[in-house]
Amino acid sequence: MSARPDHPTTDLSVDTDFFDLLTGSYARLVGTPLATMEQGPDWLYHHAPFAVLAHNSHIDPRFIYANKTAQACFDYSWDEVVTLPSRLSAEAPDRAERQRLLEAVGRSGFIADYSGIRVAKSGRRFRIGNGIIWQLVDEAGNHHGQAATFSSWHDV
């Protein structure tokens, strides 16, 4: 993989290697496609009607990817979101539950039908639904972090 998902200056927004990691691990673990090669990384980043986010595998993971739909939900630009520790996407009281969820994903590979409350940059709270969280694992079995997608959200 030429892209460095753990490197803070790597722009993964439309990187084809990262797209392969994101969509390949999703397909292998979940059993359905997240996006097709014909749709490609530009479609997933700019035009997908669902949110996609990913964080690295550090002890305090930082977002490394958020498509335009996710950026709009969370009110962050690309430059802001890729410097954000992913734990800050949930309010403090919800962070322990979020951490337990991520640990469960680590054990099972993915979870489906996730919902929960998230917080935008402005402090606006919103509920996400129809979520899937999965491990970012390349074909050689190397772990690169975790990713999430959700297709419904509304303010609470």
Side-chain angles (χ1 to χ4, degrees):
M1 172 181 231
S2 64
R4 298 235 359 244
D6 61 338
H7 195 269
T9 60
T10 301
D11 181 352
L12 301 176
S13 61
V14 293
D15 183 271
T16 55
D17 289 334
F18 184 73
F19 176 80
D20 291 345
L21 172 65
L22 194 65
T23 59
S25 59
Y26 184 93
R28 283 188 302 278
L29 290 165
V30 179
T32 60
L34 178 67
T36 65
M37 284 306 290
E38 291 77 27
Q39 289 169 317
D42 184 70
W43 177 85
L44 187 64
Y45 180 73
H46 289 286
H47 306 291
F50 49 87
V52 180
L53 300 108
H55 67 217
N56 60 24
S57 58
H58 295 169
I59 291 171
D60 187 12
R62 179 187 48 79
F63 284 119
I64 56 173
Y65 181 88
N67 70 356
K68 289 288 191 178
T69 301
Q71 290 173 47
C73 287
F74 286 93
D75 299 330
Y76 285 103
S77 69
W78 174 265
D79 290 336
E80 293 171 318
V81 78
V82 297
T83 63
L84 186 70
S86 63
R87 65 181 155 74
L88 297 180
S89 66
E91 291 182 314
D94 298 323
R95 290 181 190 155
E97 177 57 32
R98 179 185 165 279
Q99 185 59 38
R100 282 190 291 278
L101 173 73
L102 295 178
E103 290 168 2
V105 171
R107 289 187 300 274
S108 64
F110 81 98
I111 61 161
D113 202 26
Y114 170 71
S115 66
I117 303 294
R118 292 293 172 261
V119 62
K121 176 182 168 183
S122 64
R124 175 182 52 82
R125 297 170 70 238
F126 60 100
R127 176 173 292 282
I128 63 173
N130 300 322
I132 297 174
I133 304 171
W134 71 99
Q135 296 285 84
L136 287 176
V137 180
D138 63 27
E139 291 183 9
N142 300 309
H143 179 70
H144 297 277
Q146 295 176 326
T149 184
F150 56 91
S151 58
S152 69
W153 59 92
H154 62 273
D155 290 350
V156 293

